[in-house]
């Protein structure tokens, strides 16, 4: 049963801004006086998205088939939410691939709008990268071929120009995990101790449906935290080490992750770089949209019965400050260790760069988001590096308030500096997305490989990307 939101409801949902934002949940069905009670936090067990099985395999390739379609799922206890999902699931099914074998994913569009699918972080050929022009019409399908060239935590999501924000908000995002023998040979936590966590914030109507409010082109913020599509879940763990692959798949929200116990996080991997050269211990992690960090948490320091909350230090309400809870419930032996050396690589020296390109991220004259003063134009290419060239990309944000989370398709880059200072300690691995804070200048060093062709380069805050802080480079 639908009912109109009153202004009072809207205020409580944070739609009108101002005041503390309270959590609309099943409680909404009761009187509005009870709205302030948050009863489902840490009640619902974490779910791990299912791993998709290939429909067939041959000597070189695993073949998958996915149907994008609407579905009704239970996110808030007792209520139904309409989602758009890969195979009707939210998050979509995880694809697990191996370096050395390619994947063909047939994406069938059974949704009422054109779709584009992008495997974020992959070194795909242009025709499989999900260029915004390469749409799949409703009722049609497209075959994407993925080389699985990097052992790393990737994800796949919609990439329709001007509609990526509502599409991902409705549920079109999923993990794509690539492993290899080097990683297998390390004694890191594996199998059921290697857990993907997709962080998203959503706003719910009283009937359980998502409310999408882009606030112009500032972006859709939610008041409820979802992890793998579950509201502020609880996850029962043994007193041992776990690996968590943490992805920010929110529309525009960024996070500062920390544990309520004060225990540090051990970062072992980042973005499409996969494992870093060495583990980095940090008390908190800043996570922009589309960034991923692989993190080890060692629960062996806790006694059975301990509860540890994964916090967001920059959340504006208690519910946004407490993302999920780990309940240490059982004793288990632990044969995993964290090697001092993970996956070393030669950092690209600045002297290898053949040129520097300057990129400015700002508001345009009409309030849109622009790169070097220009909005997206699929007929314009703003950089033409040559295959194999190393370049320095200098990203500048002159805004004192807005942040941007900048992503390059195709490549892996390294962060040289932030406002002339070294990057954060856990930003030393290879990455595909970088946090660009207010008034910040970040320099990246990028080698343009492994393919020629035209690729997107954009802010990954979804409403910024849609309106339309995106351009493209062409590798010659
Ligand atoms: Cu994750 Cu162009 O995107
Ligand atoms: Cu991408
Ligand atoms: Cu932005």
């Amino acid at each position: 049963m639908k009912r109109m939101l009153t202004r009072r409801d809207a205020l409580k949902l944070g739609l009108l801004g101002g005041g503390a934002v309270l959590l609309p949940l099943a409680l909404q069905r009761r009187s509005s006086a009870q709205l302030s009670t948050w009863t489902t936090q840490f009640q619902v067990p974490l779910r791990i998205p299912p791993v998709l099985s290939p429909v067939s395999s041959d000597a070189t390739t695993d073949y998958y088939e996915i149907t994008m379609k609407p579905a009704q799922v239970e996110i808030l206890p007792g209520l139904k939410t309409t989602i758009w999902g890969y195979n009707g699931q939210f998050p979509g099914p995880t694809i697990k691939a191996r370096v050395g074998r390619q994947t063909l994913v047939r994406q069938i569009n059974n949704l009422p709008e054109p779709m584009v699918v992008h495997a974020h972080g992959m070194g795909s050929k242009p025709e499989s990268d999900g260029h915004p022009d390469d749409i799949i019409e409703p009722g049609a399908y497209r075959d994407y071929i993925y080389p699985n060239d990097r052992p790393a935590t990737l994800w796949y999501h919609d990439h329709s120009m001007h509609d990526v924000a509502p599409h991902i908000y409705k549920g079109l995002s999923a993990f794509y995990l690539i492993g290899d023998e080097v990683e297998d040979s390390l004694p890191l936590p594996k199998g059921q101790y290697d857990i993907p966590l997709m962080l998203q914030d959503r706003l719910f109507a009283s009937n359980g449906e998502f409310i999408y409010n882009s606030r112009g082109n500032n972006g859709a913020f939610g008041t409820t935290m979802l992890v793998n599509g579950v509201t502020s879940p609880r996850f029962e763990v043994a007193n041992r080490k776990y690996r968590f692959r943490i992805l920010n798949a929110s529309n525009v929200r960024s996070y500062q992750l920390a544990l309520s116990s004060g225990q540090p996080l051990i970062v072992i991997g980042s973005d499409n770089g996969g494992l870093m050269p060495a583990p980095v211990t940090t008390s908190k992690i800043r996570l922009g949209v589309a960034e991923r960090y692989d993190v080890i948490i060692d629960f062996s320091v806790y006694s059975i019965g301990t509860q540890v909350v994964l916090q967001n230090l920059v959340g504006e309400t208690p519910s946004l400050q407490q993302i999920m809870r780990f309940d240490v419930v059982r004793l288990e032996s632990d044969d995993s260790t964290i090697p001092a050396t993970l996956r070393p690589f030669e950092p690209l020296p600045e002297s290898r760069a053949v040129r520097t390109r300057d990129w400015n991220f700002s508001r345009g004259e009409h309030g849109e988001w622009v790169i070097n003063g220009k909005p997206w134009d699929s007929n314009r290419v703003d950089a033409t590096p040559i295959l194999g060239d190393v370049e320095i990309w200098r990203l500048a944000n002159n805004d004192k308030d807005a942040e941007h989370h900048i992503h390059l398709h195709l490549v892996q880059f390294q962060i040289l500096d932030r406002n002339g200072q070294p990057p954060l300690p856990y930003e030393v691995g290879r990455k595909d997305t970088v946090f660009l804070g207010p008034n910040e200048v970040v320099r990246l060093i990028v080698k343009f490989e492994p393919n020629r062709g035209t690729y997107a380069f954009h802010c990954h805050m979804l409403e910024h990307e849609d309106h339309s802080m995106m351009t493209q480079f062409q590798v010659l």
Side-chain angles (χ1 to χ4, degrees):
M1 190 187 68
K2 277 216 168 103
R3 93 183 148 83
M4 294 295 290
L5 284 178
T6 62
R7 183 184 153 78
R8 189 182 158 83
D9 285 339
L11 267 172
K12 292 202 185 253
L13 292 166
L15 291 175
L16 300 181
V21 175
L22 303 173
L23 283 152
L25 275 183
L27 305 162
Q28 286 261 333
R29 286 177 301 175
R30 302 180 207 153
S31 82
S32 59
Q34 291 172 285
L35 280 175
S36 61
T37 325
W38 164 242
T39 58
T40 72
Q41 195 164 34
F42 311 141
Q43 303 285 303
V44 187
L46 180 73
R47 283 193 304 263
I48 315 292
V51 175
L52 193 63
S53 302
V55 288
S56 65
S57 293
D58 61 25
T60 59
T61 310
D62 296 308
Y63 300 82
Y64 291 90
E65 211 170 273
I66 293 175
T67 303
M68 294 175 263
K69 59 183 181 187
Q72 300 254 301
V73 300
E74 183 173 313
I75 298 173
L76 303 181
L79 294 175
K80 290 280 186 250
T81 308
T82 308
I83 58 112
W84 287 4
Y86 296 108
N87 283 348
Q89 292 164 347
F90 173 63
T94 301
I95 294 177
K96 278 197 177 169
R98 300 283 294 176
V99 169
R101 284 186 66 72
Q102 69 174 12
T103 305
L104 185 150
V105 182
R106 171 162 298 181
Q107 288 280 4
I108 303 160
N109 181 7
N110 280 357
L111 288 166
E113 293 177 16
M115 293 290 150
V116 173
V117 185
H118 171 57
H120 178 125
M122 189 87 73
S124 306
K125 290 275 199 292
E127 60 275 18
S128 282
D129 194 53
H131 187 276
D133 287 345
D134 291 337
I135 56 174
I136 314 172
E137 295 288 359
Y141 69 84
R142 187 182 179 99
D143 290 339
Y144 294 90
I145 295 172
Y146 298 126
N148 302 320
D149 54 337
R150 297 146 189 182
T153 300
L154 309 189
W155 59 304
Y156 62 99
H157 61 75
D158 183 67
H159 216 299
S160 323
M161 194 61 215
H162 306 305
D163 285 316
V164 67
H167 287 178
I168 292 183
Y169 195 89
K170 287 193 172 93
L172 290 165
S173 58
F175 280 100
Y176 192 120
L177 309 178
I178 308 178
D180 77 343
E181 270 141 42
V182 175
E183 198 159 322
D184 286 353
S185 71
L186 297 174
L188 294 166
K190 295 187 176 71
Q192 57 173 309
Y193 308 109
D194 176 355
I195 309 282
L197 300 176
M198 182 185 291
L199 311 190
Q200 295 171 312
D201 56 325
R202 290 290 183 272
L203 192 59
F204 288 93
S206 53
N207 60 3
E209 297 289 1
F210 288 146
I211 296 175
Y212 176 72
N213 178 3
S214 67
R215 305 180 311 129
N217 55 20
N218 289 311
F221 283 95
T223 52
T224 298
M225 276 310 305
L226 301 183
V227 183
N228 296 346
V230 182
T231 54
S232 308
R234 170 174 63 90
F235 184 51
E236 295 191 344
V237 295
N239 66 334
R240 52 158 291 150
K241 287 185 281 307
Y242 284 70
R243 172 180 183 170
F244 295 101
R245 300 169 187 255
I246 307 177
L247 158 67
N248 179 359
S250 309
N251 275 42
V252 284
R253 180 178 294 281
S254 55
Y255 301 87
Q256 284 268 8
L257 305 176
L259 295 175
S260 59
S261 59
Q263 183 189 25
L265 300 157
I266 303 164
V267 184
I268 59 165
S270 54
D271 290 3
N272 67 351
L275 293 177
M276 306 204 303
V280 172
T281 300
T282 179
S283 61
K284 58 180 191 227
I285 296 174
R286 183 170 67 176
L287 194 68
V289 176
E291 283 190 296
R292 290 89 69 208
Y293 287 106
D294 283 23
V295 170
I296 304 280
I297 302 178
D298 186 355
F299 297 105
S300 71
V301 301
Y302 303 112
S303 52
I304 304 300
T306 308
Q307 300 176 331
V308 185
V309 174
L310 178 64
Q311 298 178 316
N312 170 22
L313 302 179
V314 292
E316 60 269 31
T317 62
S319 58
L320 292 164
Q321 286 154 9
Q322 305 195 313
I323 296 172
M324 65 177 290
R325 195 178 71 197
F326 302 104
D327 294 355
V328 185
V329 296
R330 56 181 193 277
L331 293 163
E332 245 175 55
S333 62
D334 186 0
D335 53 5
S336 72
T337 55
I338 309 169
T341 302
L342 296 165
R343 193 189 295 271
F345 66 91
E346 268 315 311
L348 289 167
E350 268 192 69
S351 57
R352 283 280 313 279
V354 296
R355 66 183 67 79
T356 297
R357 294 185 201 267
D358 278 293
W359 303 98
N360 268 284
F361 298 83
S362 62
R363 282 259 192 209
E365 282 167 34
H366 310 291
E368 75 281 38
W369 298 103
V370 292
I371 303 178
N372 286 352
K374 294 176 199 147
W376 166 254
D377 176 353
S378 70
N379 294 313
R380 194 186 75 241
V381 166
D382 279 335
T384 50
I386 294 161
L387 184 68
D389 271 4
V390 175
E391 300 192 346
I392 291 172
W393 281 27
R394 189 175 170 278
L395 316 179
N397 176 7
N398 299 324
D399 200 298
K400 64 173 185 7
D401 299 311
E403 52 189 54
H404 301 293
H405 311 153
I406 307 302
H407 171 52
L408 279 75
H409 285 215
L410 180 71
V411 297
Q412 300 171 302
F413 56 70
Q414 292 149 55
I415 303 174
L416 289 173
D417 44 43
R418 296 185 164 278
N419 285 345
Q421 302 298 311
L424 299 171
Y426 50 85
E427 289 183 320
V428 295
R430 285 179 288 203
K431 286 175 59 62
D432 57 45
T433 307
V434 63
F435 194 105
L436 185 61
N439 284 330
E440 219 173 17
V441 175
V442 173
R443 289 193 319 144
L444 312 177
I445 189 160
V446 194
K447 186 170 187 194
F448 287 87
E449 56 182 8
N451 304 318
R452 293 189 174 84
T454 303
Y455 292 91
F457 160 50
H458 57 91
C459 180
H460 215 295
M461 295 168 75
L462 302 180
E463 283 80 4
H464 294 197
E465 168 179 354
D466 274 348
H467 313 281
S468 63
M469 195 175 254
M470 165 140 65
T471 186
Q472 51 198 344
F473 59 90
Q474 184 177 8
V475 183
L476 302 176

